[in-house]
Amino acid sequence: MNKSTLIIAVLMLGIGLGAGYWLSDRGGATTVPTEEKKPIFYRNPMNPSVTSPVPAKDSMGMDYIPVYAEEDNKPSERKILFYRNPMNPSVTSPVPAKDSMGMDYVPVYADNEQSEVVGTVKIDPVVVQNIGVRTAIAKQESINRTIRAVGRVDFDEESMSRLHPKVEGWIEEIRVDKTGQNVAKDDILLSIYSPKLVSTQQEYLLALNNLSALSKSQFDEIRQGAEDLVKSSRERLELLDVPEHQIQELEQTRKVKKSLHIHSPVAGTVIRIGSRQGQFVTPKTELYMMVDLSKVWVYADVYEYELPWVKIGDEVEMTLASVPGKTFKGSLQYIYPYAESKTRTTKVRLVFDNQELLLRPDMFAEVSIKSDKQNSTVVIPAEAVIRSGGHPQVFVVREPGKFEPRLVELGVESSGKVAVLDGVSAGEEVVTSAQFLVDSESKLREATAKMMEASQDSATDGEGGSHSMEGHTGMNHSSESMEGHSEMDMSKQVDHSAHGVHEHD
């Protein structure tokens, strides 16, 4: 090897060592920022509202996504109002703090608390779905107050008929001899032999013969007297309930009939028979008792506190166990002016049509009296109303995830619906389920807003330095400061998949 070749080899070796050292320094410099970049927390890939301070996996085995400082930077103008316990939103602190598990409190910014109405709640749509919030639309419709009672079917007293004979006599033949038998008007019930009826027929025949003899008399008074005698004799037969067809037969045949028929004065059902064939009867004897069942009365008992809502003419619906699937419609006809001493109830009388004869006396039924009807009023589901503190309220959906509390004035409530006289308009959407969780969050935000307003007023008056929220640590907005609202943890509705996982607001 010559000297020039050795010099070239030494130079190439030096150049290679220098280049390698230079490249290694640059590579190390580029990796320094990566080593300094640390995630501040880890986020569930399927539910971004669920986070963890340490690496974790969800229920499907997927790794939580790291979130770095530059990804979570907030605009510098956002003002932090306070910090909230991630596991119990009702526990807050004016300064950064940690809970008993070592988890950092979540900051709440001023722009999250700004709303047109105090107490308006903004909830992440994922949380809304997890806690099961359902809504309904307020509608304009009619509504009635429904009063339910137990009724008893009875006869229509106005259609009942009791049949007595007008004369004494003996029953020769009885044609209707079964209770429960239906009869039409003018049907023959029985025939009776009465000496008085026989003598009255004879008198009528004599009057007719006398009129025939004197009809050609030259004296008007004599002819008029004969005519009056015939007329009075006929009227006497009619007053003794001798039927018209037998009177005409008597006039034609001029023969006295031994027994005369007694016809039914009404159409109905025989419910009692008071005589049998061959029995001697007098005007005191009740031959038949009949009633028309095409219309029935129903008696119901109304409690004292429901009585002011009941009035004559109210619509009534009735159902019976013996007629399943059918609803009978009637009306309230009468309210009795006295109360029952034992039950402290007042009896009312209801009227129902019974053309199909499905309603039988002494049946028990369930009746619903539709009283206090209100037409064209705003109606919402009764479950949407939060009745607390004597002031009912509802939550109205202003936009997806934004709920506004409203005090309402309620009217009639019936069949799971309630009329709203003031506070909600037709077409607005109200919360019908999980509203107590929303109410708990609303009360917390309302209390916080009032405290911030008081703090700002104190600062304006020069007294805010010692009374501002920054001067108090570990403030606990618990259920004791919420006037009866129980502490509800909305974060419990989220399914935590790993230890140390909490909801990130």
Side-chain angles (χ1 to χ4, degrees), residues 336-349:
Y336 285 82
Y338 53 84
E340 300 291 338
S341 59
K342 295 182 179 179
T343 60
R344 309 309 306 167
T345 58
T346 298
K347 184 180 295 184
V348 297
R349 187 173 69 217

Side-chain angles (χ1 to χ4, degrees), residues 183-293:
V183 296
K185 187 175 182 180
D186 289 332
D187 280 355
I188 299 176
L189 300 176
L190 52 81
S191 59
I192 183 174
Y193 163 68
S194 173
K196 187 174 183 179
L197 288 177
V198 173
S199 62
T200 306
Q201 292 180 77
Q202 293 173 344
E203 290 176 2
Y204 183 54
L205 290 178
L206 291 175
L208 290 175
N209 294 332
N210 186 40
L211 179 61
S212 299
L214 300 176
S215 61
K216 297 180 181 181
S217 175
Q218 297 179 356
F219 301 97
D220 295 337
E221 293 84 0
I222 295 175
R223 290 197 307 270
Q224 185 66 37
E227 291 175 359
D228 291 343
L229 182 60
V230 171
K231 183 178 179 180
S232 63
S233 299
R234 182 182 176 89
E235 287 180 350
R236 186 176 182 186
L237 288 174
E238 293 175 351
L239 293 175
L240 293 176
D241 289 341
V242 176
E244 180 66 25
H245 73 90
Q246 288 192 317
I247 296 177
Q248 293 177 1
E249 184 180 354
L250 179 63
E251 293 173 349
Q252 295 172 1
T253 63
R254 300 298 174 99
K255 292 182 179 180
V256 176
K257 298 183 68 68
K258 177 183 177 182
S259 59
L260 297 178
H261 296 155
I262 294 182
H263 292 242
S264 174
V266 295
T269 303
V270 177
I271 60 175
R272 186 163 61 238
I273 299 176
S275 63
R276 292 296 172 179
Q277 187 171 349
Q279 181 177 344
F280 176 76
V281 295
T282 66
K284 295 182 180 180
T285 306
E286 182 183 278
L287 301 178
Y288 291 95
M289 181 176 180
M290 291 171 291
V291 63
D292 183 8
L293 294 178

Side-chain angles (χ1 to χ4, degrees), residues 53-158:
V54 296
K57 293 180 180 293
D58 63 5
S59 57
M60 301 175 61
M62 300 174 63
D63 293 328
Y64 277 39
I65 301 174
V67 178
Y68 298 95
E70 58 269 19
E71 298 180 10
D72 198 56
N73 286 338
K74 306 296 180 183
S76 57
E77 63 271 10
R78 297 184 69 185
K79 179 182 178 181
I80 297 178
L81 295 179
F82 56 89
Y83 296 83
R84 175 177 292 159
N85 189 318
M87 301 302 293
N88 189 352
S90 64
V91 179
T92 62
S93 172
V95 296
K98 294 181 179 292
D99 63 5
S100 58
M101 300 174 62
M103 301 169 64
D104 293 328
Y105 276 35
V106 179
V108 177
Y109 297 94
D111 53 359
N112 290 340
E113 295 295 320
Q114 294 175 354
S115 62
E116 299 178 359
V117 179
V118 177
T120 300
V121 182
K122 291 182 179 179
I123 303 177
D124 187 88
V126 177
V127 178
V128 171
Q129 183 176 4
N130 288 340
I131 65 178
V133 175
R134 296 195 309 271
T135 60
I137 303 298
K139 299 180 181 179
Q140 192 107 10
E141 59 185 35
S142 299
I143 188 173
N144 300 66
R145 177 185 294 273
T146 301
I147 298 174
R148 303 186 184 278
V150 177
R152 181 179 60 84
V153 182
D154 206 343
F155 299 110
D156 180 359
E157 295 178 0
E158 295 177 348

Side-chain angles (χ1 to χ4, degrees), residues 166-186:
K166 299 292 180 65
V167 294
E168 296 181 351
W170 289 262
I171 296 177
E172 292 285 327
E173 180 186 5
I174 184 167
R175 298 191 180 185
V176 178
D177 57 354
K178 301 178 183 65
T179 58
Q181 186 173 344
N182 293 325
V183 296
K185 187 175 182 180
D186 289 332

Side-chain angles (χ1 to χ4, degrees), residues 386-389 436 439-440 443 478-488:
I386 301 176
R387 308 173 190 269
S388 60
F436 288 100
D439 180 53
S440 178
K443 289 295 186 289
S478 62
S479 59
E480 296 178 358
S481 63
M482 299 307 296
E483 298 181 358
H485 288 275
S486 60
E487 181 177 308
M488 294 187 178

Side-chain angles (χ1 to χ4, degrees), residues 134-139 379-381 383-384 395-397 424 427-433:
R134 296 195 309 271
T135 60
I137 303 298
K139 299 180 181 179
V379 177
I380 62 174
E383 59 185 358
F395 279 91
V396 179
V397 180
V424 177
E428 289 188 312
E429 190 175 4
V430 297
V431 179
T432 59
S433 67

